Structure formats: C-alpha cells, structure tokens
Amino acid sequence: MTNEALSAELRRLRSGSLEALEAIFLDLRTPVFTVLLRLVRDRELAEDLTQEVFLRLWQSPPVEDVRSPRAWLFRVAHNLALDALRRPGAGELPEQLPAQDFAEGVHARLDVEEALASLSPRDREIVTLHLGAGLRFREIAAILELPLGTVLWRHSRAISALREKLDGGVL
Amino acid sequence: MKRFFCFLLTVLLLTAVLSGGAAAAEFPTFMDLYNDWGMNGFPDYVSEVHSTNGGWEMTVLLVEGYDDKADEILASLENADGLTIETGGKYSYNALLAVQAEIVEEYMVDGSGDIVGCGTGWHTVNGEVTGFGESGKESRVVVDVKADKAQEYADLFAKKYGDMVVVESSSGAAVTDTATEDSAGAAGTSGLWIGVAALAACLLGSGVMFARRRALATATGQVITEDGRLSRRAVAQAVAQAQWTPKRTFADLKARL
C-alpha cells in the first residue's frame, strides 16, 4: 500500500470505517510484525505488539497532513518495541525464530534470519525498516533519531556484512 | 483588463507547462543515489566517487566524454548540496573491476602465489593516501606482487592493460577489492569510497581477501559486470522477501476494539 493509498484509507478510518482498518491491517501486519519480531526476538511479544500498533492506529490515527503515514505507523511499532524492551525482565533472546512458522523457501529465510541476527539490533532494524517495511532512509533517520548519513552508512555496512555471511565469508 | 487576463493566462499556462515537464527527483540526496549504485551496480560513466572534505561532501568523477551525465545526476536528486561533479576520469570503475576480476581469475586462483593481492582504488605513498591520474584522485587496479617478481608482472600488465594496472611490490599480505566503499566507511577515513577494500585492509592490517569473480572482458573497452558472488542486490531481495506473518488475525484485533 503506497502512502497515498494509505492516506485514503486513513481518511475512511478517521470517520469510523472498520473496513479501512481491516484493509490497512491486512496490508501492513506482515512488515510490522517482521520489524517487531526482529527487534524483540520473541514471537508472543511481537504478536502482542503488532496488535497494539493497529489498536493505537484505530484509537489515535495520525492527523490528516502527516506526510508519510507509513513511517508514522512504523514509528509507533518502534516505540512500542523500545518500551517493551525497557520493561524489567526484557532482554536479548538469542534463540532462533520458531520452527513452526516455516513454509516454502524456509531454508533461505532461515539463512537470512541467521545472517540478520549477526547484526547489531540497530543495524538489523535499519535494514528491516528499509527493505522489509519499504521506508526511505530519511524516514528511518527520523524514526531512529539518527543523522541521515549515519543511517545510510550503517545500512550499506550491514548489507556488506549480510553478503559476507550469506556468501560463506572470505577466504 | 483584457491585457491583464491575457498576461495571467500566459503565466498560468507557462507554470503548468514547466511544472508538468519537470521530472520528479528520484533520490532525496546523493547518498541515496550512491547507495542505489552500491546495490545495483555503478553506471559505466562513473569513474570514481570520493569524499571532498573528508566528511559527507562528495565528488563524483565522470569518465571523460560523459559530461552530459552530470545534469542527469543532478536532476535525479531532490537536494544536491555538498555534491561536486567533475569530469575527465580515464577509466570507468566497472572497467577497472573487470580487469581486477580477470587478474584474480588468471593469476591468483590456483596461481603461483606471486601475486598476493589485487584491488581497485587508491594507494599509500610514504604514508599518505593518494589516487592516480592527472588529478591524483582516480582509481586504478593495484596489484601487490612479491618483491622479486614485481618487475616481471609490471611489464606483463603494462603490455596487457596499459596504465589501468599499477603493480606494487609487497613484503607481506596484500588485498583484493571486495567490499568496495563499505570498507572505506568502516575505516572511517576520508576520501575513499569506491573500490577501497585494498586500501582499508592496508590501513587496518587485515588479511587477504579474494574476490571470487569470473573472468570478465579484457581491458579493451568491453565491460561485463558478471560476478560469481552473491550480489548486494540479491542480498537486499532476500531480506525484503524474508517476511514473517503474525498468527493473530483481524478478528483478534476487532475483539479488542
């Protein structure tokens, strides 16, 4: 869903349309969940937070003139993840992502997840927000409160690291 | 009154034509374009990219004869602040990479071991990082060869590749370019953004890296950027496709509204 299409659905949502919420949910739940899962590394928690993102969207949608509603949504997801990670008892969970989620192309996906797990949480989030969520670097810089140049450089470095990992490394 | 309306109409028409004709810029800044080049391959008209001030102001050197590409690059950017475009580069970055790949394939893989490293970028002279060509800012393929064989390979490569290749004698490990601009970023130094894994490795003292690239066209002008390794684009596509779908449905969400 482009920002324009999302804006149109949000206009309907602001006037109380459940169909609009459903359309947005069906289109964005996967990338939102993916970002959250890679941030919190806990399936149940990521499920909770994904639901919370769209609940907040329903309760307090962005105002009409938000330039990038898509970025707004992922900022909500990012902030919720940070809050969850700050709670007592939260921490890095190093285990692999659950085996029961596998479908076609599972091995390739596992390889990618393993490679992503080797990145720092911040680099992993930058890569996921750009490639998984489709956000522009400027939007990611605003969400993460980082300079644009830093985001660009970290993304580039992360891709190189992933490439090395997925390609079997250097001699 | 009539004249005023005619004038107003003319202004409105001109505005419509000009705004309709202006193409939307594709990239917010040059770094976005640069990242796109890194992901999808550099155009053949790019010779070199380096930092102008040791920071984020960048200079793009175009291959000689491609001056018209400067406007294209600028038109593709929303904000070109800090970007300098120069022309007069002798070789395209892609051509240098092709030569590098050929040298690696023919002389390093299963070779004699005389060549200990091969990379595309700048080099260090008396502790100072410097480029090549008249401007001193161009890249070349830098080949590190064991001291006793250096002259032999210098003569060989001069005959084969002209001044695209620079042979340096090495007493220790040397490197081949693989990570290009990313190693420069990791080194955190100024000036070097394309093909600088060789230099970064020299600076950081890292080990030997080989680009397992298939032999490409020779340095006669033909360039094929086929690469035996996983491309950055393939990596990006793999990450983009590796999505996870939540189990909870819209019905679960609706129940909470």
Side-chain angles (χ1 to χ4, degrees):
Chain A
M1 196 179 275
T2 62
N3 270 319
E4 290 71 30
L6 183 55
S7 291
E9 291 294 350
L10 284 171
R11 276 194 287 277
R12 294 174 58 213
L13 185 147
R14 274 190 285 271
S15 53
S17 168
L18 265 181
E19 287 78 21
L21 178 65
E22 186 176 11
I24 296 169
F25 177 81
L26 290 176
D27 189 77
L28 290 172
R29 64 178 182 143
T30 294
V32 166
F33 180 69
T34 302
V35 166
L36 287 167
L37 187 57
R38 287 191 185 138
L39 276 173
V40 301
R41 310 293 286 164
D42 179 302
R43 173 134 207 151
E44 274 309 301
L45 181 55
E47 293 271 5
D48 288 342
L49 294 176
T50 301
Q51 292 275 303
E52 189 64 29
V53 167
F54 291 98
L55 191 63
R56 295 214 180 177
L57 178 68
W58 175 251
Q59 290 167 343
S60 305
V63 297
E64 181 79 37
D65 59 355
V66 158
R67 200 172 161 189
S68 175
R70 195 180 178 94
W72 180 92
L73 197 74
F74 283 96
R75 184 194 284 268
V76 170
H78 166 81
N79 290 339
L80 283 173
L82 282 190
D83 289 344
L85 288 171
R86 281 189 202 118
R87 283 179 214 146
E92 284 283 333
L93 298 169
E95 53 267 5
Q96 301 264 344
L97 289 169
Q100 62 270 24
D101 298 304
F102 297 165
E104 214 175 289
V106 56
H107 295 295
R109 203 187 332 179
L110 269 186
D111 285 344
V112 169
E113 291 304 330
E114 193 183 317
L116 283 164
S118 68
L119 299 177
S120 71
R122 181 51 59 91
D123 286 356
R124 188 162 60 240
E125 187 176 10
I126 288 171
V127 168
T128 305
L129 284 173
H130 182 61
L131 296 173
L135 297 188
R136 300 174 86 171
F137 289 118
R138 195 180 296 280
E139 292 167 339
I140 297 169
I143 290 171
L144 300 183
E145 296 176 359
L146 288 173
L148 175 61
T150 301
V151 171
L152 286 162
W153 175 63
R154 290 188 79 149
H155 182 270
S156 183
R157 186 183 67 174
I159 294 294
S160 292
L162 290 173
R163 187 186 185 203
E164 290 299 331
K165 191 92 182 165
L166 292 169
D167 205 35
V170 295
L171 295 180
Chain B
M1 198 59 163
K2 212 173 175 179
R3 277 191 195 172
F4 171 75
F5 276 119
C6 284
F7 171 74
L8 187 62
L9 191 62
T10 307
V11 168
L12 286 172
L13 281 171
L14 274 173
T15 308
V17 165
L18 288 172
S19 58
E26 199 179 341
F27 302 96
T29 66
F30 173 68
M31 290 308 292
D32 294 284
L33 172 61
Y34 175 67
N35 191 61
D36 187 72
W37 285 347
M39 301 276 278
N40 300 311
F42 284 79
D44 285 340
Y45 54 80
V46 170
S47 180
E48 164 74 44
V49 177
H50 62 264
S51 170
T52 315
N53 62 347
W56 293 100
E57 289 186 6
M58 308 299 290
T59 296
V60 176
L61 177 66
L62 301 177
V63 175
E64 195 169 351
Y66 285 96
D67 302 25
D68 57 319
K69 295 299 180 184
D71 287 338
E72 255 184 54
I73 290 172
L74 291 171
S76 71
L77 306 178
E78 283 175 21
N79 181 356
D81 286 352
L83 176 65
T84 304
I85 301 179
E86 295 176 347
T87 57
K90 196 168 178 184
Y91 301 112
S92 78
Y93 177 57
N94 288 338
L96 295 173
L97 283 184
V99 168
Q100 176 195 314
E102 192 166 276
I103 290 173
V104 169
E105 180 79 18
E106 284 190 26
Y107 301 98
M108 295 179 77
V109 178
D110 300 326
S112 60
D114 292 335
I115 297 179
V116 293
C118 179
T120 299
W122 294 6
H123 65 160
T124 308
V125 177
N126 298 326
E128 249 194 74
V129 170
T130 183
F132 301 92
E134 280 181 23
S135 64
K137 290 179 182 168
E138 294 185 46
S139 286
R140 293 290 187 269
V141 179
V142 180
V143 183
D144 285 320
V145 180
K146 284 182 182 169
D148 59 335
K149 294 284 186 180
Q151 190 58 56
E152 183 183 322
Y153 280 93
D155 293 340
L156 170 66
F157 291 142
K159 204 171 168 184
K160 216 172 166 181
Y161 303 112
D163 68 346
M164 288 182 90
V165 176
V166 172
V167 171
E168 296 185 342
S169 79
S170 170
S171 55
V175 296
T176 292
D177 172 51
T178 54
T180 62
E181 72 279 4
D182 308 303
S183 296
T189 58
S190 67
L192 308 176
W193 292 85
I194 289 187
V196 291
L199 179 63
C202 290
L203 291 172
L204 299 172
S206 55
V208 179
M209 293 187 286
F210 287 93
R212 283 190 173 280
R213 291 178 173 174
R214 295 199 184 89
L216 301 178
T218 65
T220 55
Q222 260 191 314
V223 175
I224 303 167
T225 53
E226 186 184 311
D227 189 332
R229 290 187 61 192
L230 200 61
S231 69
R232 292 171 68 85
R233 186 176 200 173
V235 170
Q237 283 174 342
V239 173
Q241 285 162 14
Q243 302 263 10
W244 299 88
T245 301
K247 285 182 180 156
R248 292 186 211 166
T249 63
F250 183 69
D252 294 316
L253 176 65
K254 206 171 160 185
R256 296 179 61 188
L257 297 179

